C-alpha cells in the first residue's frame, strides 16, 4: 500500500507549493505596488511643496521690490527738491553778482566774496547732480 500512498502525498505537496508560490507572488506584487505608490506620492508632494515655496518667494520678492522702489522714489524726490533749491540760490547769486559788478566801485570789491560763494554753491550742485545720476 505504500506505493499508492506516495503518489497522493506528491500530489498534495505539489498543490501546496503552487498555492504557496502564487501567494508569495501576490505578496511581492502588492509590495511593489505599495512602494511605487509611495514613490509617486513623494514625487507629487515634493512638487507641490516646491511650487508653494516658489510662490512664497515671489511674493516676498515683490514686497521687497516695492519697498525699494518707494525708497528710491523718496530719495529721488528729496534730491530733486535740493537741486531745485540750489539752482534757485545759484540764480539769486548770479543776479547779485551781476548787480554787484555793475555797481562796484574802486573802493569796495565784494565780487570776490560772491564768486567764492557762487563756486561753493556750484560744487554743492554738482555733488547733488552726481547723487541724482547715481540714483537714476
Amino acid at each position: 500500500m505504500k506505493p499508492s500512498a506516495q503518489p497522493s502525498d506528491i500530489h498534495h505537496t505539489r498543490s501546496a507549493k503552487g498555492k504557496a508560490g502564487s501567494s508569495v507572488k501576490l505578496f511581492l506584487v502588492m509590495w511593489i505596488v505599495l512602494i511605487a505608490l509611495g514613490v509617486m506620492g513623494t514625487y507629487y508632494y515634493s512638487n507641490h511643496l516646491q511650487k508653494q515655496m516658489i510662490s512664497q518667494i515671489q511674493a516676498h520678492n515683490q514686497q521687497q521690490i516695492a519697498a525699494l522702489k518707494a525708497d528710491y522714489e523718496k530719495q529721488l524726490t528729496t534730491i530733486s527738491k535740493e537741486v531745485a533749491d540750489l539752482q534757485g540760490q545759484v540764480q539769486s547769486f548770479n543776479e547779485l553778482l551781476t548787480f554787484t559788478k555793475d555797481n562796484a566801485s574802486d573802493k569796495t570789491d565784494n565780487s570776490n566774496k560772491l564768486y567764492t560763494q557762487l563756486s561753493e554753491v556750484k560744487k554743492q550742485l554738482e555733488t547733488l547732480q552726481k547723487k541724482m545720476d547715481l540714483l537714476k
Side-chain angles (χ1 to χ4, degrees), residues 52-117:
Q52 188 178 16
M53 286 174 43
I54 287 172
S55 65
Q56 287 175 350
I57 289 172
Q58 286 176 343
H60 183 69
N61 283 345
Q62 290 298 327
Q63 289 174 350
Q64 285 182 336
I65 288 171
L68 286 174
K69 184 177 178 182
D71 185 47
Y72 169 76
E73 289 175 355
K74 181 182 169 186
Q75 288 180 358
L76 189 61
T77 303
T78 304
I79 290 177
S80 296
K81 287 178 184 178
E82 289 177 3
V83 167
D85 290 344
L86 282 176
Q87 285 177 341
Q89 286 180 355
V90 167
Q91 183 64 30
S92 65
F93 280 135
N94 280 336
E95 291 172 1
L96 184 59
L97 182 61
T98 304
F99 176 77
T100 304
K101 275 184 167 180
D102 291 342
N103 295 326
S105 66
D106 294 336
K107 295 179 184 177
T108 59
D109 191 14
N110 292 330
S111 61
N112 287 337
K113 292 179 185 176
L114 290 174
Y115 280 121
T116 304
Q117 290 176 352

Side-chain angles (χ1 to χ4, degrees), residues 27-68:
F27 180 75
L28 289 176
V29 167
M30 290 302 290
W31 269 108
I32 290 172
V33 168
L34 286 175
I35 290 171
L37 286 175
V39 168
M40 285 176 37
T42 303
Y43 175 75
Y44 287 120
Y45 184 68
S46 66
N47 280 345
H48 170 73
L49 287 179
Q50 183 181 15
K51 289 176 185 177
Q52 188 178 16
M53 286 174 43
I54 287 172
S55 65
Q56 287 175 350
I57 289 172
Q58 286 176 343
H60 183 69
N61 283 345
Q62 290 298 327
Q63 289 174 350
Q64 285 182 336
I65 288 171
L68 286 174

